[in-house]
Structures are given as structure tokens and as C-alpha cells.
Amino acid sequence: MNNTIQIRIICDNLNTLIYYLSRNNIKFDHLYSKKDDHYFKIYKNDYKRIKRKFKKVRVVGYYGKESILKFIKTNYIFLLSLILGLTILYFLSTTMFFIEIHTNNEELSNKLYYELGTYNIKKYGRIKSYKELDKIKKEILKNNQDKLEWLEIKREGTKYEVLLTERVIPNNDDIINSPRHIVASKDALIKHITSNNGVVLKDINDYVKKGEIIISGDLYKGETYIKSLRASGEVYGEVWYTVKTVVPYKYVEYVRTGKVINHYYLDFLGNKMTLIGKYNTNMSMNNIKLLVDKPYLGIKIYKETKELYDYKEFKVTKDEAYIEAIKRSDKSIKNKLKDKEYIISKKVLNISPMSSKIEVEVFYKVYENITDTSLIEEKKEL
């Protein structure tokens, strides 16, 4: 029944009351009775007819549209306050009030204030999303490559903190002329040397320790020091690694599903309420960011990014586990290698099969770039 009300009628004879309602074509639902108190649900338009017949009758409840109108009329002050509060909260949570640029360079600071303003990052501007801030940061860095080495726009409540590192462009002459040695970056057996400048002190198949000079920047005539220059070149050597890998006969591998769930929730005085995107799972990698922090209102809004994973279960024999251990060992070495670097050879040193797993130790010889540099302290020339 739409546009209906609930009434209470005091009458000592329920049958007489129901007979009257039926005879006068008044539609009703008899809800319940308590002694002489009878509660009915009727259409609002029939209330006056009933009131003319029964003196002890009154409205005790409303339904449908009438209920909503009655609630608004009774609580309009609260509703207006709530709407005003939510409007203010929305304004406060989406408006930026402060921008702080961390630099002592006044000229650069003014330039950044202006450039940020072109992206509407300014006082009383709308708060940007993390994706928007990241895009703006990259564009500003691209436009100021000669002035900025690094830039970060960090949001703290209603304040943007702009952190930066100024680019220092060194004197080209200093770079070209600064004297240095070419040294070994690690213990190795030299396999290849290319020298563009300097004096080569080592030969192919010489063993060198980390930090040992391979191409010297010092020039001597006999035993007499002449001058120091900037040695340049490239050295490759045979480097050694030992990798120990354990593979169980039963194991699980986790794989990305490519699905990401964004869960937004409100923390009001320590009580968490989901706003959107609730998803319960133990198979995810979670990252939580604070989006809104209003301590004076007791409100915080968080974004929880859930990257979903799936898993595969494997059961292998000892032989299969051994092959898997070799693959994993190879992969751990190859992940370190750069262009022109490769595995020269490998040798299994130890195999330890156990009841639930196998342990394999492998020795590798790797062809690797061992070029490093060491600055030469200033010396008095002849």
C-alpha cells in the first residue's frame, strides 16, 4: 500500500471496528491489537472518515513517500547540517591549501611555482590524483633537464611538498682532463683488454684482485714521473661464482593474473568502512596509500591496491628436481649479466638429495666486464 499511514484506534469491540471499515469500503490491514488498542494500516485519504466515526484515533506511523516527507520535516535541521558538513568535507578533501618547494634557489623556486600553476597545482586548486601528479612530474623534468636531476611532488594532507635535486653540470674540461686509472672491479682472470689511453700494466690471463690497476694514467720516463692523464679502455675477465640452490619435491609457484583491484575505504575514528571495491582474498600483493587525512574531523580515506596472484602446485621426482635446480642456478647468474657477458662454463660441485628436497651446488666461470676507475691524486709534474 503506497501513501499509507499507521493509526491507533481505541475501541472496546474489534469486530464492530472491522465491520465499519469494511462497510465503508475503507481498505485496511489489521496489524495487531493490545487489549482495546488496535493498530491498522490505511490509506491517508481515509483517515478523516475514520476520525469522524471514532474519537480516540491518531496517526502513529507513516509509509512510502509520506514517511520520507515526514522524516525530512522532522529532521530538516539535522539534514541541512549533514549536507553542509559533507559539502565542506568534500571541499576540504579535494582542495589544496599549501605548496612548499624545498630549495634555496629562489629563481628555480619561482620558475617551479609558475610551471606548477600551468597544471593548476596552486593554492585552492583541485587536488590531483597520483597518476596525474606522476605525469606532471615527468613533463616538468623533461622541460627542465638542464636544471633538474630529480623531482618528486608529494602530497601531505592539504599540502604539496615539492622535493628536488638540482642538476649540476660539471665543466667539460674537468671531465676530459681529470686523471684516473682503469682498475679491476673484482677478482678475475683477464681475458680481454682494450686501451684507448694510458699504459697497460697487465696481460691476457693475468690474475688481478679487486682495485688493482690494469691501465695506468701515470706516465713515467724510466723511473721518473712525467704526468697523469685520464686512462680509458675496457677490460673483460673470467669471474667465478658458486651458487647453491634447493628445490623441494613438492613446491608452489605464484604467478601474476594481471588483475588489479582498487579498494577505497574510510577510517572514521578507527572504524573502517568500505567505500568501493571490497575484495577479500589471501592471494594478492597489497599496497596502501593515504589519500585524505583530516585529523580534526577524525577522518582518513585510504586506497588499497590489490594485485591478484594465482598459484601452481608442482610435484617432481629427484631427477626432475635436479634439472630444475640447474635451471634456477643458471637463471640467477644470467640475471646479473649485461651485453657481451656470458657463462663460459659450469661444474656441479655437490648434489645432496634428501627425503623432501634436493640441494645442488654449482660452480660458474663467467665472462664479465670488470672495468672500474680510480681517480689519481694530484702529483707534482717534472
Side-chain angles (χ1 to χ4, degrees), residues 89-279:
L89 176 61
Y90 177 78
F91 173 75
L92 292 175
S93 63
T94 58
T95 304
M96 189 54 59
F97 293 93
F98 307 98
I99 297 176
E100 185 176 349
I101 299 178
H102 293 268
T103 179
N104 294 324
N105 187 331
E106 187 175 349
E107 181 182 351
L108 181 59
S109 177
N110 292 334
K111 178 177 174 60
L112 284 176
Y113 269 119
Y114 173 79
E115 194 155 353
L116 289 168
T118 62
Y119 296 100
N120 201 32
I121 296 181
K122 56 187 177 182
K123 194 174 182 180
Y124 306 126
R126 183 183 65 85
I127 288 176
K128 303 288 185 183
S129 68
Y130 287 93
K131 188 175 181 180
E132 289 175 312
L133 287 178
D134 188 61
K135 183 179 178 182
I136 292 169
K137 175 190 71 175
K138 289 177 180 177
E139 289 180 1
I140 292 176
L141 273 174
K142 184 179 179 181
N143 297 334
N144 297 273
Q145 293 181 5
D146 58 330
K147 295 181 176 63
L148 295 175
E149 183 76 33
W150 172 80
L151 179 71
E152 184 63 42
I153 304 173
K154 184 180 178 183
R155 180 185 163 196
E156 295 289 345
T158 58
K159 180 176 74 172
Y160 280 133
E161 285 193 79
V162 182
L163 311 174
L164 59 93
T165 300
E166 293 185 47
R167 183 180 293 279
V168 178
I169 302 177
N171 188 305
N172 288 333
D173 292 337
D174 291 341
I175 294 175
I176 294 171
N177 297 322
S178 58
R180 70 178 187 183
H181 299 305
I182 299 296
V183 301
S185 62
K186 55 188 69 178
D187 297 353
L189 190 68
I190 296 175
K191 289 298 180 182
H192 175 81
I193 301 175
T194 301
S195 176
N196 301 318
N197 201 25
V199 180
V200 178
L201 302 182
K202 299 294 182 180
D203 293 321
I204 303 300
N205 292 326
D206 279 355
Y207 172 76
V208 288
K209 291 188 175 183
K210 180 179 179 180
E212 192 171 347
I213 299 173
I214 300 172
I215 305 174
S216 175
D218 288 337
L219 296 183
Y220 287 85
K221 186 176 182 180
E223 295 184 357
T224 305
Y225 169 77
I226 304 298
K227 65 176 182 179
S228 295
L229 49 79
R230 185 178 177 81
S232 62
E234 200 170 41
V235 183
Y236 283 83
E238 179 187 299
V239 184
W240 310 281
Y241 296 97
T242 300
V243 179
K244 185 179 289 186
T245 306
V246 176
V247 176
Y249 302 136
K250 294 180 181 180
Y251 63 92
V252 173
E253 283 191 359
Y254 291 88
V255 293
R256 285 187 171 96
T257 63
K259 188 176 181 181
V260 176
I261 303 295
N262 290 322
H263 174 213
Y264 297 85
Y265 62 89
L266 172 70
D267 186 325
F268 180 66
L269 300 176
N271 299 307
K272 295 181 180 179
M273 294 169 280
T274 292
L275 301 176
I276 189 172
K278 186 174 182 180
Y279 191 88

